[in-house]
Amino acid sequence: GIRRRGQMLNSSGTGDSLVVTLDPDQIDDRYFQAGVSCGCHVVPGLTYGLGGVRGSGRMIDWLRETFFAGTRDTGYEALVARAARAPAGSHGVVVAPHFQGAHIPQQDPMAKGAILGLRTGHTLDDITRALFEAITFQLRLAVDTYAGLTGETFPDVICIGGGSRNTFWVQM
């Protein structure tokens, strides 16, 4: 669905893939340094750029399987309800969302994930929201990287895939 230069698509599922349309003449080494993969678009005269967050959906599944196994809160709706109960900033819990390495803009396949700032007063609500926030901030870094490379602002992002049905996350 992205057929003009300056459009962006987020395919949200096992990972979050951000795809942008590009003029092939604008591609230079900066794209590759930032971890953007480029290829031939189906529209003549355009190229696509691809990057995003590796394993974002898989991280959410890991959270469900690890922290909610054996509870009645195993569904995605219950997970989102927990995340929504915690305030923005997750009471200081921060997640580094590099469970499968880092992509755009860090480009470090050996990067590791982490849950930081935990104290005895934190809850699963805080950790759950912190994971959603971490993935969202990583996506923001990718959008900002694309903006810096292309000069586009990407005011609208077309969202598809399983993650697009999570209105809490899409609004975040």
Side-chain angles (χ1 to χ4, degrees):
I2 55 172
R3 296 180 184 90
R4 293 182 315 277
R5 188 174 151 203
Q7 291 185 305
M8 180 178 282
L9 173 106
N10 179 7
S11 178
S12 181
T14 302
D16 270 87
S17 298
L18 291 176
V19 184
V20 296
T21 51
L22 304 168
D23 178 341
D25 295 333
Q26 77 185 106
I27 298 170
D28 57 31
D29 195 49
R30 297 172 306 132
Y31 286 80
F32 302 102
Q33 295 295 326
V36 177
S37 299
C38 297
C40 295
H41 196 289
V42 296
V43 175
L46 286 180
T47 300
Y48 69 84
L50 173 67
V53 180
R54 289 186 176 133
S56 55
R58 179 62 195 115
M59 285 184 262
I60 293 166
D61 285 343
W62 170 83
L63 183 79
R64 281 181 46 242
E65 294 160 5
T66 304
F67 291 101
F68 297 97
T71 72
R72 59 180 185 202
D73 289 344
T74 58
Y76 291 108
E77 297 82 16
L79 199 70
V80 170
R82 279 191 168 274
R85 285 194 296 260
S90 309
H91 290 118
V93 176
V94 176
V95 173
H98 308 301
F99 290 30
Q100 295 182 355
H103 200 199
I104 181 174
Q106 291 89 357
Q107 195 64 348
D108 181 359
M110 300 307 291
K112 306 284 189 277
I115 302 173
L116 306 167
L118 289 174
R119 302 201 44 107
T120 56
H122 286 116
T123 66
L124 280 176
D125 297 355
D126 299 323
I127 295 169
T128 303
R129 183 177 186 109
L131 180 59
F132 280 110
E133 289 178 340
I135 296 166
T136 302
F137 282 122
Q138 193 64 38
L139 285 168
R140 181 77 233 184
L141 284 173
V143 171
D144 290 348
T145 299
Y146 280 130
L149 291 168
T150 65
E152 303 287 345
T153 59
F154 305 107
D156 299 307
V157 177
I158 299 167
C159 296
I160 64 170
S164 69
R165 293 190 298 266
N166 183 336
T167 56
F168 168 79
W169 193 14
V170 171
Q171 287 303 308
M172 185 183 287

